[in-house]
Amino acid sequence: MKWLAGVAALTTASVLATPAPPAAQQTRHARSSTAAKSQPAIPWQSCGAGSALRLSGLRRSQGALLPLEVKSDSPLNDLKGEAANRALSFWPSATSANAPASAPHIYQSLIGIDLDQKPGSYDLSVEATQTAGGSPLACQAKFEVTDGHYKVERLNVAPKFVEPTPEDLKLAQDQTARLRAIFATVTPEKLWQGKFRMPIQGATSFKNFGTRRVLNGEPSSPHTGVDVGAVRGTPIHATQRGRVVLAEPLYFSGNTVVLDHGLGIYTLYGHMESMPVKVGDTVEAGQIIGKVGSTGRVTGPHLHWGLSISGARVNALDLLNLR
Ligand SMILES: [Zn+2]
């Protein structure tokens, strides 16, 4: 069952038998979003020299986004950070641009908590220098990662249905390695602006994020995207402005488009029937980048929608809650 290691490694794996709708998962997502909104505001924590840091929450589950802000009396240079051993990218808040000169400068960032991040307490560190006087600032905080309680499916199927040929296995592994290299690359430019949007208009069915499959007793990869239900041929819109960095058929996810939104944020769209974009294209938010299909290893048409932030595999639906 060596090939399972290949499946386990595949970032976009969207494998084999599609299970019954895990309604609980959708509820979990909706609940966590609501809970996040109703939590009391986390206080600002001083970083010295007229600056401060604020997390949007003190805990998040595996596979979730944790936004944070840094404010400062004067503009910051070389603002960087690290959370759970992943580098953070910052950008100036849009509201900051229209604020009066006396208002603090606000910078935003996103911590992507990988689907496989072990539950526990993690460190966040931020550092920068201020342009006025060049004084350095630094601060640390802690946040907690909780268990995502994702569904585990145990399937027993005839090996011939789950074992790809050695050629297919090699192909899938090579594609995995390429995707990892793409997701590990941070484009320093922020290509998006404003809110992220749902790629399928009016979508109501969101399944399988984080689901783990155990095939014939062998654990395989978690399902790293959210499967958005839609009929064949439904237009798929870019969730935000970005650059096309991959547009080709892949073994597991079929016709696949990956958009680089800059600052380490990538979205992936899989199983497309068609994809009228090519590598190097810049697409605008909402632009049609493909149509729903069932290419790759699937049992029926849907959009596999993935999100990677600094290489962390995160639920793309969390993008829609960002302000
Ligand atoms: Zn999928």
Side-chain angles (χ1 to χ4, degrees):
M1 297 300 284
K2 222 175 178 177
W3 72 273
L4 281 166
V7 173
L10 194 81
T11 316
T12 60
S14 168
V15 279
L16 312 170
T18 301
Q25 201 172 33
Q26 194 184 335
T27 316
R28 182 202 69 78
H29 178 80
R31 206 187 296 131
S32 67
S33 308
T34 317
K37 277 179 199 136
S38 62
Q39 279 170 6
I42 307 297
W44 287 97
Q45 176 186 331
S46 173
C47 300
S51 65
L53 161 75
R54 182 166 71 177
L55 281 162
S56 60
L58 294 177
R59 63 188 60 82
R60 283 290 189 276
S61 75
Q62 296 168 311
L65 279 181
L66 177 53
L68 65 122
E69 290 176 310
V70 169
K71 71 175 177 183
S72 169
D73 291 342
S74 58
L76 298 176
N77 273 344
D78 301 324
L79 177 56
K80 54 190 176 208
E82 197 180 273
N85 301 317
R86 284 178 202 274
L88 296 178
S89 295
F90 287 85
W91 63 93
S93 161
T95 51
S96 219
N98 305 320
S102 59
H105 298 262
I106 307 269
Y107 301 86
Q108 295 178 284
S109 185
L110 287 174
I111 300 172
I113 299 172
D114 187 75
L115 195 49
D116 270 337
Q117 191 76 48
K118 241 179 105 195
S121 176
Y122 288 90
D123 294 321
L124 159 71
S125 61
V126 172
E127 58 179 67
T129 51
Q130 281 181 318
T131 50
S135 37
L137 64 96
C139 50
Q140 279 84 37
K142 283 195 181 298
F143 61 95
E144 196 189 333
V145 174
T146 59
D147 194 320
H149 296 295
Y150 296 115
K151 196 172 151 185
V152 178
E153 294 166 355
R154 292 173 199 284
L155 302 174
N156 288 307
V157 290
K160 67 174 179 181
F161 293 119
V162 296
E163 288 180 8
T165 63
E167 292 77 20
D168 284 346
L169 176 58
K170 172 79 170 60
L171 182 69
Q173 285 172 336
D174 289 352
Q175 292 172 347
T176 301
R178 276 179 55 214
L179 284 169
R180 283 211 173 133
I182 288 172
F183 295 150
T185 307
V186 178
T187 299
E189 191 188 349
K190 176 176 174 274
L191 299 173
W192 86 94
Q193 220 171 18
K195 283 180 77 85
F196 286 77
R197 60 166 74 199
M198 175 65 70
I200 303 273
Q201 280 174 7
T204 55
S205 167
F206 311 105
K207 297 173 189 168
N208 298 338
F209 180 77
T211 300
R212 287 171 182 282
R213 293 193 173 101
V214 180
L215 293 169
N216 298 345
E218 292 271 346
S220 70
S221 65
H223 181 269
T224 59
V226 55
D227 289 338
V228 185
V231 299
R232 185 183 304 280
T234 305
I236 298 166
H237 303 266
T239 183
Q240 251 299 356
R241 189 166 183 274
R243 195 170 292 136
V244 178
V245 289
L246 183 139
E248 64 181 66
L250 300 183
Y251 179 75
F252 281 107
S253 53
N255 289 335
T256 303
V257 168
V258 176
L259 298 183
D260 176 5
H261 303 290
L263 306 184
I265 301 181
Y266 293 86
T267 50
L268 178 147
Y269 309 77
H271 309 310
M272 292 178 169
E273 186 176 64
S274 59
M275 36 182 188
V277 291
K278 58 180 194 310
V279 170
D281 288 353
T282 294
V283 298
E284 298 301 325
Q287 185 177 328
I288 293 176
I289 55 167
K291 285 185 175 174
V292 170
S294 54
T295 54
R297 305 278 279 184
V298 285
T299 54
H302 67 271
L303 168 66
H304 175 99
W305 187 28
L307 167 64
S308 175
I309 295 193
S310 296
R313 299 156 304 169
V314 184
N315 191 334
L317 291 174
D318 276 13
L319 284 175
L320 308 177
N321 295 326
L322 298 177
R323 281 175 292 152

